[in-house]
Amino acid sequence: MKIIKFVCAVALSSVLFLTSAYAATYYVDAVNGSDVTGTGSQAAPWRTLTNAVASTVAGDTVNVLPGTYNVALGETFPIVIAGKFFVATTTYLATIEESGASTRAVALVGNASLEGFKVKGDGNDTAVTVGMIDAASNVTVKNNIIDGSNFTYGIQCIQINDTVRITSNTIYSSTRGIFVNTSLTSGSVTKNTIRDCTNYGIYVNQSNLTIDRNTIVRSGVGVYADTGGGAGKNVNAKNNIIYNAGVRTSGISQAGAVGTLTSTYNCVFGNATVYDGTVADKTGDITVDPTFIDTTGNNFNLMPASPCIDTGDPVTVLDPDGSRADMGAYPYDHRPTVQIVRPNGGETLTGEVSYNITWTATQAGGVDHLQLYYSTDGGTTYPNTITTSAPSTGSYGWSVPAINTTTARARLIAVAINGYTATSESAANFSIAFASPTITVPTPTTTTTAPSKISVVGGEKAAQTFAAGAAVNITINGGENQTLNMEVYDKDWNPVTTISNSGTNTFSWNTDKNIAGGLYHYIIKGKDTHLSGVIFISK
């Protein structure tokens, strides 16, 4: 007997090793694939899910391209996925459309997943079954849209031993949204949207289950749990929104003499009764309108003033924006959004010329201001500040620096009124071009009279210093009875003023007290004279 057990154990280990060691990825394409010539590769995909199921082994992943997978294509229902992972390459664009004699569209069995599909049909029973055909464990149903118009169950779980994850699905118009009818030892139903299901949103029968952050609208009893059976089962409902607008029955209902249904941090509003049966705890539960953006239009995102924001269980994992968990399947994002419009790559800006940086920025509570920076190393660093207080008007006039670079980028940080921030950067490099101004130095005029006849007192090349706002007097020898002009330039040879001596031996320049300090050039010109020198204005 021991030998037989040993052999069985070795055989099972070998199978598991082969499954994990040789797991592969395949492709299915309803539009361009072929079950005849296709190999399941990305270049030569199969045509149908039915063929992919038959041609793969446990542990394989099947990527399914957009298209409608139905009887007309060659599908046989139900699609039984056992030990394999079927993933739509583009969310909701791969549609499984059941029809014919089958009562189910998809059945998942042990170590399997269905992710990103739209499922519909006329099967009358179940859109997606977990178990039923065979016992199952470790099954994931994630991010699917399930049109339950012609089904009793959107998702039905039967004969599951352990670990089922039903998360981020949208289920509508079935009689029962999610139906867990099994002796499940552990499982979770999280972040699903369930609406317009006639009898129940989520129905749990004799299973241990966590029901967390779901939004259930117009769906009979929101959460129903029969916790009886054996030693009893425990169901934990938390962070859910159950909104029925007064047209259905109870929000949270418990049945069974043993076991526990615990309710914490749920919003239960608009039901005929809030609780039915023995519902434990109720810590953090509220019974006020969650204020969806558009209930009639099935937009169940929360308005900025919703009482469900930041009021979920404080020990639940934080929302994506880092804030306390919200109630429901749609966490409110406190962060603003910002997108730079220009410069976004490819532009050429001119140094010392104003350029309008433009963007879009939104936040339900309002964007207070923006911080703007620029990089000259292709976005590796942003050490250069443009402004830290740009108003949220969508544009800002930037005085472009006098530099030359081909690897400039801009970064915008939007700061919301609530203090949260968001960042956007140029998608690619832009250029800044700056041409230094050409300075033309006047060419001295050839003199016909020896310049020694006129000279600057104190020396032509000696720098004379004057205070800003004072009179600058340049005295010459031998300038009497001659009309001479003194041209004054700044340090870069930009003209400042021209002064005449009026037949005297002195040039007098009355400077303004606000004049820039520093070095100035002067040139004294006359018919037979050309002298030059420098002046220093002190501040």
Side-chain angles (χ1 to χ4, degrees):
M1 185 66 177
K2 293 182 179 179
I3 295 175
I4 293 174
K5 288 183 178 179
F6 174 77
V7 172
C8 291
V10 171
L12 178 60
S13 299
S14 299
V15 170
L16 293 174
F17 172 78
L18 291 172
T19 298
S20 60
Y22 294 96
T25 300
Y26 296 96
Y27 293 83
V28 177
D29 187 346
V31 178
N32 300 305
S34 172
D35 287 345
V36 177
T37 61
T39 61
S41 66
Q42 190 170 9
W46 293 312
R47 181 177 176 82
T48 65
L49 306 179
T50 302
N51 185 63
V53 168
S55 303
T56 52
V57 298
D60 287 345
T61 297
V62 178
N63 291 323
V64 182
L65 278 69
T68 300
Y69 296 85
N70 54 21
V71 170
L73 188 72
E75 299 292 1
T76 300
F77 293 99
I79 306 295
V80 180
I81 303 171
K84 303 166 188 178
F85 312 104
F86 275 56
V87 181
T89 58
T90 305
T91 308
Y92 310 142
L93 293 186
T95 299
I96 300 174
E97 185 178 28
E98 177 272 339
S99 64
S102 175
T103 59
R104 295 175 176 82
V106 180
L108 297 168
V109 180
N111 299 303
S113 70
L114 183 77
E115 300 183 30
F117 291 85
K118 181 174 183 180
V119 183
K120 63 180 182 177
D122 61 6
N124 298 316
D125 193 299
T126 307
V128 177
T129 299
V130 179
M132 179 63 81
I133 292 175
D134 196 358
S137 294
N138 194 27
V139 174
T140 299
V141 183
K142 178 180 180 181
N143 208 24
N144 302 285
I145 292 178
I146 298 175
D147 179 352
S149 301
N150 297 312
F151 292 105
T152 300
Y153 306 97
I155 300 174
Q156 182 178 202
C157 302
I158 297 179
Q159 295 184 19
I160 300 179
N161 297 324
D162 189 20
T163 314
V164 60
R165 293 171 293 270
I166 302 174
T167 182
S168 303
N169 302 283
T170 296
I171 305 163
Y172 61 91
S173 300
S174 58
T175 304
R176 299 175 179 181
I178 297 174
F179 187 73
V180 181
N181 186 18
T182 180
S183 296
L184 181 65
T185 56
S186 68
S188 60
V189 175
T190 61
K191 302 179 184 177
N192 300 284
T193 301
I194 303 167
R195 63 173 176 86
D196 302 304
C197 294
T198 312
N199 292 348
Y200 300 95
I202 299 173
Y203 183 111
V204 185
N205 184 35
Q206 300 181 20
S207 291
N208 293 317
L209 193 68
T210 297
I211 302 172
D212 183 12
R213 286 167 290 168
N214 300 281
T215 296
I216 305 169
V217 178
R218 301 184 299 263
S219 295
V221 178
V223 173
Y224 177 89
D226 184 343
T227 59
K233 301 295 183 181
N234 297 308
V235 176
N236 180 14
K238 62 179 181 178
N239 306 319
N240 302 285
I241 297 176
I242 302 170
Y243 179 99
N244 282 329
V247 300
R248 304 296 180 189
T249 54
S250 61
I252 300 177
S253 180
Q254 183 271 345
V258 292
T260 304
L261 169 58
T262 301
S263 175
T264 56
Y265 299 95
N266 296 295
C267 175
V268 186
F269 177 76
N271 307 276
T273 58
V274 177
Y275 307 106
D276 187 24
T278 303
V279 179
D281 202 333
K282 305 173 186 174
T283 299
D285 282 3
I286 58 177
T287 56
V288 294
D289 190 339
T291 61
F292 297 129
I293 287 179
D294 183 4
T295 307
T296 303
N298 300 321
N299 183 345
F300 305 127
N301 285 283
L302 302 174
M303 295 286 284
S306 170
C308 297
I309 296 174
D310 297 341
T311 53
D313 188 344
V315 301
T316 298
V317 64
L318 298 178
D319 282 344
D321 63 7
S323 65
R324 176 175 167 175
D326 301 332
M327 298 177 183
Y330 299 90
Y332 178 83
D333 197 335
H334 293 275
R335 297 168 297 186
T337 60
V338 62
Q339 178 61 55
I340 187 168
V341 176
R342 65 174 192 150
N344 203 30
E347 301 90 345
T348 298
L349 283 57
T350 302
E352 292 192 341
V353 175
S354 181
Y355 180 87
N356 272 347
I357 298 174
T358 60
W359 65 84
T360 59
T362 60
Q363 208 281 334
V367 174
D368 183 70
H369 67 278
L370 291 95
Q371 301 170 358
L372 281 63
Y373 305 89
Y374 73 92
S375 166
T376 57
D377 57 12
T380 301
T381 61
Y382 285 85
N384 309 296
T385 301
I386 299 173
T387 180
T388 58
S389 58
S392 182
T393 57
S395 67
Y396 181 83
W398 177 26
S399 181
V400 181
I403 61 174
N404 286 286
T405 180
T406 59
T407 55
R409 297 196 185 200
R411 170 186 283 174
L412 278 65
I413 301 176
V415 182
I417 291 173
N418 58 19
Y420 284 80
T421 63
T423 301
S424 179
E425 297 176 357
S426 301
N429 295 335
F430 61 88
S431 299
I432 299 176
F434 176 70
S436 301
T438 301
I439 301 174
T440 303
V441 180
T443 303
T445 305
T446 303
T447 60
T448 56
T449 304
S452 59
K453 293 181 179 179
I454 298 177
S455 60
V456 177
V457 175
E460 181 180 344
K461 300 299 181 181
Q464 302 185 55
T465 301
F466 300 89
V472 174
N473 295 313
I474 301 297
T475 302
I476 59 175
N477 292 318
E480 299 84 349
N481 303 317
Q482 294 188 48
T483 298
L484 303 172
N485 291 323
M486 184 174 75
E487 298 175 353
V488 181
Y489 301 86
D490 65 16
K491 65 181 180 64
D492 295 321
W493 289 97
N494 296 306
V496 176
T497 187
T498 299
I499 304 164
S500 172
N501 70 334
S502 301
T504 70
N505 66 345
T506 300
F507 295 93
S508 184
W509 172 30
N510 294 315
T511 62
D512 188 274
K513 66 179 181 178
N514 294 320
I515 190 172
L519 191 69
Y520 289 80
H521 304 277
Y522 67 82
I523 298 175
I524 298 174
K525 292 182 178 180
K527 179 180 179 181
D528 300 317
T529 302
H530 192 288
L531 302 174
S532 63
V534 292
I535 302 166
F536 188 83
I537 301 296
S538 63
K539 294 289 286 186

